Amino acid sequence: MSKKRYLLALAGMMVFSLVTACSQSANSGEKGAENSPTSAAQKGASADAIQKGTYKFETPVTITTVKATDATMKFKNGETMENNVHTKWAHDQLGVDLKVLWQVPGEQFNTKLRLMLTANESLPDVLTTQDMTLLDELIQSGKYRDITADFEKYASPKMKQIYNSNPLNWSQVTYGGKKMAIPNFATAGNDNPVMWVRQDWLDKLGMKAPKTFEELEAVMQAFLDKKPGGSDNVIPLGASLGSGGSSPNPFTSWLGETSWVFGALGTVPYQWLVKDGKLVHGSTFPAMKDGLAKLRDWYNKGYLSKEAGLHDENKLAELIAQGRVGIVVAPSWMSGWPNTDMQKNVAGSIMKPYPLPTLNGKIEARDTTYLRGGLLVKKDFEHVDALFLYLNRIFGAVNPEEGSEFVNGWAKDYDYTIKADGTYSVTEADIPGGKVSPAKYLLIEPKDPFIGMKLRADVSRGKAPVTPSEKKIAVSGQDGLKAAEIVDDGWKAGIYIPQAYTGANTPAMQSKGGILVKLEGDTFINIIYGKKPVTEFDNFVKEWKSLGGDDMTKEVNDWYSKMKK
């Protein structure tokens, strides 16, 4: 993921909040919900005080964890992972000591945990992983606990509202009806597709943004023939068919995706869909053939770049910044980048967001997955009350009230500052000693996955900003807000289709998944390029099934049957 993309996605989507912090004193924590189902702590802590986040342990309670690090994890003021502004906050405010047993680069994290598991070494009290295969292995080991009763007893009303707001939220971490982890979220809809069109080109040609495939083709042909950008190098429709590296995924990239072409015909590639009460792989559904024929036709007509199969998202971003791309389907945050680069490079250029075009009144596209594994709690951990006290307080940082603890961010002079004139700033240059993100130090980053997009959509529709989050959103770019409104409208209309399988990689996925994804990518690109006939799709489906697809289909449907019970 591009660094610019990451930062802009965060800037466009994240909202903070808070719960006002009071504190009570008492002695050390509980012996575990299994052994002490009715008491929140050995000496006096009530479940009510834990839920409200007003409790403080007089004798500090230790919670051990482990961390996967990356290049974005930075420190200041001589701090470390074990001793920093956030660990000090937890100790001072809650009587909770966060102890990091070890930290390794992200690519080594899974291996180290698997080795510990194999050697039967002592594991941390809590850990967060986004890797569903690792999460499944840890749960199957029996060393981590069912938190169903703990969540019901200790979670704050805000946590319960967030986690119970959508049936998908618990789906990745529910095993046999038991909640085996606290779900970890990304921002829902972050990469959901919106059509961005060169408005200056439309205006120059006296055309309107296309609402149907027929109108889209007319606009693309006009861009190609009339060259409103004054160049022969125009690309009417930007597509990153070369995304995915060694695992080609031509149609569902985060910039220049084309899942909507197939969605208008009745399928979404590269994800599992519910059809007639069973899960089927979208890339094998018959409608794929018609979608491939459509893209092949567009390629032959010159609507796509002749090198689209080599373009990944970052290369496409360069082409957009050069002013060569007329239409691209991309996330709502594209108004920040690469649009801003394009406007710097090409005077008068502007891209505006519009809903996806329909075919015979129909349109569908992928709904980007926001589920990211979860936080596991060790079975014999004795202080679940302390963990939920911590979680309840940090989840106060979601959509805050004025004057609340985390209303501006996690820590003053770290991820934000208050300037001499009393104004708030998150600008790097304004923050003494530079900007760092204490969110990286948390056990889990608290999010309501849907609220960021919905708040932006509401402001776009004209809602007067009242809350701190709405006021921050209101000063952002109008095109980004309009794009968020389009995404929210798409959710309401059922346009965005979620991934139907949210479990861990099945045995067949682990052994055959790479081969099958490569087969998909190679076959589809060759069909679009005209190197293979469209009828080759039928042979692909047969080969996909025989190479392991049938086994995967059986496994995901076994999972689906259990989930429905």
Side-chain angles (χ1 to χ4, degrees):
M1 177 188 294
S2 159
K3 180 180 178 182
K4 285 184 179 179
R5 172 183 176 263
Y6 172 79
L7 292 174
L8 285 158
L10 284 180
M13 298 291 189
M14 285 193 62
V15 292
F16 292 102
S17 101
L18 143 81
V19 171
T20 304
C22 310
S23 68
Q24 274 175 260
S25 292
N27 293 316
S28 59
E30 109 181 275
K31 275 292 187 184
E34 295 173 6
N35 298 325
S36 177
T38 59
S39 64
Q42 287 177 338
K43 295 186 178 180
S46 71
D48 181 65
I50 296 295
Q51 287 183 5
K52 291 178 179 177
T54 58
Y55 192 76
K56 180 179 179 180
F57 291 92
E58 184 178 292
T59 302
V61 170
T62 297
I63 302 175
T64 63
T65 191
V66 292
K67 281 281 188 180
T69 61
D70 60 42
T72 66
M73 191 172 287
K74 299 177 182 179
F75 300 92
K76 64 188 297 184
N77 302 328
E79 294 175 359
T80 65
M81 186 64 75
E82 296 79 13
N83 184 15
N84 55 63
V85 65
H86 181 68
T87 60
K88 291 173 184 173
W89 169 85
H91 176 87
D92 294 344
Q93 293 288 318
L94 311 176
V96 171
D97 288 336
L98 304 177
K99 183 178 181 182
V100 179
L101 300 179
W102 50 260
Q103 54 185 301
V104 294
E107 63 272 15
Q108 300 175 25
F109 185 78
N110 292 1
T111 299
K112 186 170 178 65
L113 276 171
R114 286 192 175 101
L115 289 173
M116 292 179 69
L117 197 59
T118 301
N120 201 29
E121 295 180 19
S122 179
L123 293 163
D125 297 328
V126 303
L127 67 89
T128 299
T129 179
Q130 297 187 27
D131 186 290
M132 284 305 300
T133 301
L134 176 61
L135 184 140
D136 184 62
E137 291 171 9
L138 290 165
I139 289 173
Q140 298 296 347
S141 74
K143 295 182 181 294
Y144 286 87
R145 69 192 283 148
D146 170 12
I147 55 94
T148 306
D150 300 320
F151 184 84
E152 185 60 31
K153 182 175 183 180
Y154 296 129
S156 67
K158 175 172 277 191
M159 280 194 73
K160 288 176 179 175
Q161 185 278 321
I162 290 171
Y163 280 109
N164 296 333
S165 64
N166 190 301
L168 276 178
N169 290 356
W170 288 101
S171 60
Q172 272 198 336
V173 299
T174 300
Y175 286 64
K178 299 177 179 178
K179 296 177 173 69
M180 297 302 298
I182 300 292
N184 184 50
F185 298 138
T187 300
N190 194 47
D191 290 347
N192 278 25
V194 173
M195 182 175 66
W196 293 82
V197 187
R198 280 290 295 269
Q199 188 66 45
D200 54 319
W201 289 6
L202 289 176
D203 295 343
K204 188 172 184 179
L205 298 177
M207 302 184 79
K208 293 183 178 181
K211 295 181 179 180
T212 66
F213 269 44
E214 184 179 24
E215 292 175 359
L216 173 66
E217 290 175 347
V219 169
M220 291 192 294
Q221 190 65 52
F223 285 174
L224 197 63
D225 293 341
K226 299 181 181 180
K227 303 177 180 57
S231 169
D232 290 330
N233 293 324
V234 64
I235 300 171
L237 179 65
S240 53
L241 301 181
S243 64
S246 61
S247 299
N249 188 352
F251 311 128
T252 58
S253 51
W254 49 260
L255 182 68
E257 73 140 79
T258 48
S259 75
W260 52 278
V261 177
F262 303 90
L265 294 158
T267 192
V268 180
Y270 288 90
Q271 70 181 48
W272 293 92
L273 309 171
V274 180
K275 300 285 186 181
D276 299 323
K278 292 187 177 296
L279 298 190
V280 298
H281 198 272
S283 294
T284 67
F285 207 64
M288 278 296 295
K289 185 191 289 189
D290 295 330
L292 290 168
K294 177 63 72 176
L295 285 176
R296 179 187 178 117
D297 178 54
W298 288 356
Y299 179 81
N300 289 336
K301 289 177 177 176
Y303 300 161
L304 305 180
S305 168
K306 293 301 180 185
E307 298 179 341
L310 300 176
H311 293 165
D312 64 7
E313 297 93 337
N314 289 314
K315 178 60 180 178
L316 179 58
E318 291 179 18
L319 298 172
I320 293 169
Q322 292 167 12
R324 292 180 55 191
V325 177
I327 301 170
V328 64
V329 173
S332 62
W333 47 259
M334 187 176 155
S335 59
W337 176 83
N339 274 14
T340 49
D341 288 353
M342 176 190 69
Q343 291 169 336
K344 291 175 184 176
N345 296 332
V346 183
S349 63
I350 185 169
M351 272 191 163
K352 290 284 188 179
Y354 292 95
L356 296 171
T358 62
L359 180 63
N360 299 322
K362 181 179 175 61
I363 188 64
E364 289 181 351
R366 69 187 177 111
D367 193 15
T368 50
T369 301
Y370 64 91
L371 303 175
R372 296 288 187 273
L375 181 147
L376 294 153
V377 184
K378 198 173 179 183
K379 198 168 189 177
D380 60 1
F381 181 49
E382 295 185 348
H383 302 292
V384 181
D385 55 347
L387 173 64
F388 274 93
L389 172 64
Y390 169 86
L391 293 174
N392 291 335
R393 279 288 283 273
I394 66 170
F395 266 85
V398 179
N399 197 20
E401 297 176 2
E402 203 69 63
S404 55
E405 185 177 14
F406 302 119
V407 67
N408 292 316
W410 291 110
K412 181 176 177 289
D413 293 338
Y414 285 78
D415 56 341
Y416 75 93
T417 194
I418 304 299
K419 297 192 293 185
D421 62 3
T423 59
Y424 158 88
S425 175
V426 294
T427 303
E428 173 91 22
D430 291 337
I431 299 175
K435 186 176 183 177
V436 301
S437 175
K440 293 286 183 178
Y441 315 153
L442 275 60
L443 295 180
I444 189 172
E445 187 172 353
K447 282 184 180 174
D448 180 334
F450 292 97
I451 198 167
M453 195 71 71
K454 290 186 179 299
L455 286 177
R456 294 168 70 209
D458 287 344
V459 172
S460 177
R461 294 184 184 110
K463 181 181 184 296
V466 176
T467 69
S469 298
E470 290 168 344
K471 290 177 182 177
K472 290 176 186 177
I473 286 168
V475 299
S476 59
Q478 292 302 306
D479 288 341
L481 297 180
K482 182 62 180 179
E485 182 183 343
I486 291 169
V487 172
D488 194 46
D489 287 343
W491 276 332
K492 293 175 181 176
I495 286 172
Y496 298 115
I497 308 302
Q499 168 69 267
Y501 179 74
T502 58
N505 282 340
T506 67
M509 288 176 184
Q510 293 179 43
S511 61
K512 302 294 185 181
I515 296 171
L516 296 179
V517 169
K518 189 173 190 312
L519 174 66
E520 287 176 73
D522 290 347
T523 302
F524 296 160
I525 292 297
N526 281 325
I527 289 174
I528 293 169
Y529 271 22
K531 294 180 179 179
K532 291 184 178 180
V534 176
T535 54
E536 182 64 22
F537 174 76
D538 299 319
N539 295 327
F540 154 75
V541 174
K542 293 176 184 176
E543 191 173 1
W544 184 90
K545 290 181 176 181
S546 65
L547 287 177
D550 278 342
D551 294 332
M552 283 201 312
T553 301
K554 181 182 183 305
E555 290 167 350
V556 299
N557 275 286
D558 288 345
W559 170 89
Y560 188 60
S561 296
K562 293 175 184 175
M563 288 296 294
K564 289 194 295 184
K565 292 179 179 179

